[in-house]
Amino acid sequence: MKLKASLALAFGLMAGMAHAATELVIATVNNGHMIEMQKLGKNFEAANPDIKLKWVTLEEGVLRQRVTTDIATKGGQFDVMTIGMYETPIWGKKGWLQELKTDAKYDADDILPAMRNGLSVDGKMYAAPFYGESSMLMYRKDLADKVGVTIPDRPTWAQVKDLAAKIHDPKNGVYGICLRGKPGWGDNMAFLSTLVNTHGGQWFDMGWKPQLESKPWKDAITYYVDLLKNYGPPGSSANSFNEILALYNEGKCGMWIDATIAASFISDPKQSKVADKVAFAQAPTMVTPKGANWLWAWALAVPSGSKKVDAAQKFVSWATSKEYIELVAKTNGWAAVPTGTRKSTYASAEFQKAARFAAAEKMAIDSANPNDSTLPKSPYVGVQFAAIPEFQAIGIAVGQQMSSALAGKTTVDAALKASQVAAEREMKKAGYYK
């Protein structure tokens, strides 16, 4: 009897260990699409009873910090990580991520090429897009009609300035244009990098020398400061996505160039007072269309340190599949699906009907190329960032200078000079050039 009991106990422990071995720890960001993924995770667990999902949900800044520390130290805390287009090529190249292996049913060719390229290194995909975005112009068509201005599908910055001047009416609480001013590499610098790109500029030349005092940078930043000073809301240097979204939904912004994901909020009558008055066009261009609109994806990746690669890959495939998008549509309606990832989403008649912005959003994503985003040749990958580890620190320092110039605390020339000094210091310290 004792032997039987010992064997039963041993088998029980082994079964327990086998069960414990398939708990997947998933690090993700606390936004709406990801919170929905957690709720729908029970469907994945039902189909895969040998896998349990454990969620670690964090604010964007904290998430970046935690996953970066974990992967750099090979901590192995997470089996699936939510990362972006900035981290993926850097970490993929370093061998920190598992290459994603997908089957025919997954249909990787259905993923929008811009998303696939931005999450790949040498043709191998290291993260799968959960949702993607570009940037575009969102404007009040009623105000444009009132002053007799027609906005084309691909406007220029000159046309934008002209319309901003005509519809700016601060006495009645309407500002001609709202744009990001809050400092941060992913805040004001995401927008300003695209403005610099379309003015013919770049972050670094082919010798990795920072270009912050070049003519395109001076032209772009001077234009931006003047535009917001004359036709923007007061306190623009403190505004980022959420602040402007609130202003727009209150009917206080005539125009806004920002993430395509905003379109679903400003056209939702539950959230926006001007839902029926908005129209969409491509991000404006200046000297060149290259890099005029950004490209970003929140994506799921499996760190190479994970001991549960097969289960983790299975989860990533599920959460970024056509079936998952259909599950969200069935549960919450087509207007709630994560967008910007698959051709099949945009081919859906139900999605097109639920999302008035669908065609403009897809056009913006399709036109963004992280491997060719500047007029002069650049050594880096990325549209609104350079995918090198040093960029975060440089982007933060430059973002603070640009915010100061916008607030009138310093001149554009002085801000760009200080930015150039900070960028050169970082790049020399990292050994990019002497």
Side-chain angles (χ1 to χ4, degrees):
M1 280 305 282
K2 263 187 181 166
L3 180 66
K4 267 190 180 171
S6 303
L7 281 170
L9 183 64
F11 279 121
L13 282 170
M14 279 163 72
M17 279 163 73
H19 182 71
T22 52
E23 179 182 74
L24 289 182
V25 182
I26 303 163
T28 194
V29 66
N30 66 341
N31 70 27
H33 283 315
M34 275 69 173
I35 288 161
E36 196 51 43
M37 172 171 55
Q38 292 174 44
K39 287 182 194 159
L40 296 174
K42 62 179 185 294
N43 294 274
F44 175 81
E45 288 175 328
N48 300 276
D50 55 333
I51 302 173
K52 289 291 293 165
L53 305 179
K54 186 182 175 192
W55 300 91
V56 179
T57 311
L58 304 160
E59 266 185 343
E60 189 175 321
V62 182
L63 173 82
R64 283 188 206 283
Q65 222 173 359
R66 287 275 298 275
V67 298
T68 304
T69 303
D70 189 60
I71 205 153
T73 59
K74 298 188 170 50
Q77 265 188 304
F78 307 115
D79 303 299
V80 176
M81 294 175 161
T82 305
I83 60 175
M85 274 194 184
Y86 170 68
E87 297 91 348
T88 305
I90 300 173
W91 295 358
K93 213 172 269 180
K94 284 180 186 275
W96 290 357
L97 301 172
Q98 291 281 346
E99 183 193 344
L100 288 182
K101 300 274 198 278
T102 56
D103 56 17
K105 185 173 169 269
Y106 181 77
D107 193 3
D109 290 338
D110 184 49
I111 293 174
L112 297 172
M115 292 297 153
R116 200 171 167 177
N117 294 340
L119 297 168
S120 297
V121 179
D122 301 328
K124 293 174 180 171
M125 207 155 97
Y126 286 95
F130 181 65
Y131 78 82
E133 65 179 37
S134 182
S135 53
M136 64 180 175
L137 169 64
M138 298 160 276
Y139 67 98
R140 288 275 300 277
K141 192 168 183 311
D142 60 324
L143 299 180
D145 289 348
K146 201 168 141 188
V147 295
V149 172
T150 303
I151 288 285
D153 282 345
R154 289 190 175 276
T156 64
W157 275 107
Q159 287 170 313
V160 164
K161 190 175 188 176
D162 175 56
L163 180 57
K166 286 178 174 158
I167 60 177
H168 186 59
D169 185 9
K171 277 196 202 75
N172 290 305
V174 176
Y175 304 100
I177 190 161
C178 296
L179 297 168
R180 295 184 182 199
K182 194 179 198 171
W185 74 267
D187 277 302
N188 62 345
M189 294 321 299
F191 167 72
L192 286 173
S193 296
T194 63
L195 187 64
V196 168
N197 292 341
T198 196
H199 273 78
Q202 63 190 147
W203 274 95
F204 309 102
D205 68 10
M206 287 306 287
W208 287 107
K209 194 162 169 44
Q211 297 296 300
L212 290 142
E213 288 186 283
S214 62
K215 186 176 185 296
W217 271 90
K218 286 188 182 184
D219 291 348
I221 305 305
T222 302
Y223 172 91
Y224 162 76
V225 169
D226 287 348
L227 185 68
L228 281 179
K229 203 165 71 182
N230 291 316
Y231 313 117
S236 281
S237 60
N239 287 346
S240 190
F241 181 88
N242 288 328
E243 291 82 5
I244 299 172
L245 178 61
L247 286 170
Y248 203 103
N249 283 346
E250 282 295 314
K252 292 183 174 175
C253 297
M255 280 182 282
W256 182 23
I257 293 99
D258 213 304
T260 51
I261 201 88
S264 59
F265 307 133
I266 62 171
S267 58
D268 175 2
K270 288 194 208 73
Q271 301 180 49
S272 169
K273 288 181 180 174
V274 292
D276 57 340
K277 298 177 175 69
V278 295
F280 309 98
Q282 296 306 294
T285 60
M286 195 74 184
V287 175
T288 173
K290 281 191 179 192
N293 49 292
W294 74 59
L295 190 69
W296 184 254
W298 276 119
L300 300 176
V302 180
S304 48
S306 172
K307 306 276 189 288
K308 305 158 193 173
V309 174
D310 290 346
Q313 292 249 14
K314 195 182 259 193
F315 174 78
V316 170
S317 292
W318 173 79
T320 60
S321 66
K322 290 186 226 184
E323 291 72 25
Y324 177 82
I325 290 167
E326 281 156 16
L327 175 65
V328 176
K330 203 173 84 181
T331 312
N332 303 311
W334 274 99
V337 303
T339 61
T341 60
R342 286 183 170 269
K343 298 171 196 170
S344 52
T345 303
Y346 293 91
S348 152
E350 294 102 321
F351 174 68
Q352 288 187 11
K353 199 174 144 194
R356 284 194 287 128
F357 53 86
E361 178 181 60
K362 184 171 185 293
M363 193 187 284
I365 290 170
D366 286 348
S367 71
N369 183 353
N371 297 302
D372 182 21
S373 64
T374 57
L375 192 55
K377 208 165 157 29
S378 293
Y380 54 87
V381 173
V383 183
Q384 76 281 21
F385 55 81
I388 56 170
E390 296 71 24
F391 181 76
Q392 283 197 46
I394 292 170
I396 290 166
V398 177
Q400 284 163 345
Q401 290 295 332
M402 298 305 107
S403 198
S404 288
L406 181 59
K409 291 176 185 163
T410 184
T411 63
V412 169
D413 281 356
L416 289 172
K417 188 176 184 175
S419 298
Q420 178 71 14
V421 169
E424 281 184 11
R425 190 171 54 234
E426 284 290 331
M427 294 303 275
K428 282 178 181 170
K429 195 170 78 184
Y432 281 84
Y433 67 97
K434 287 190 168 61

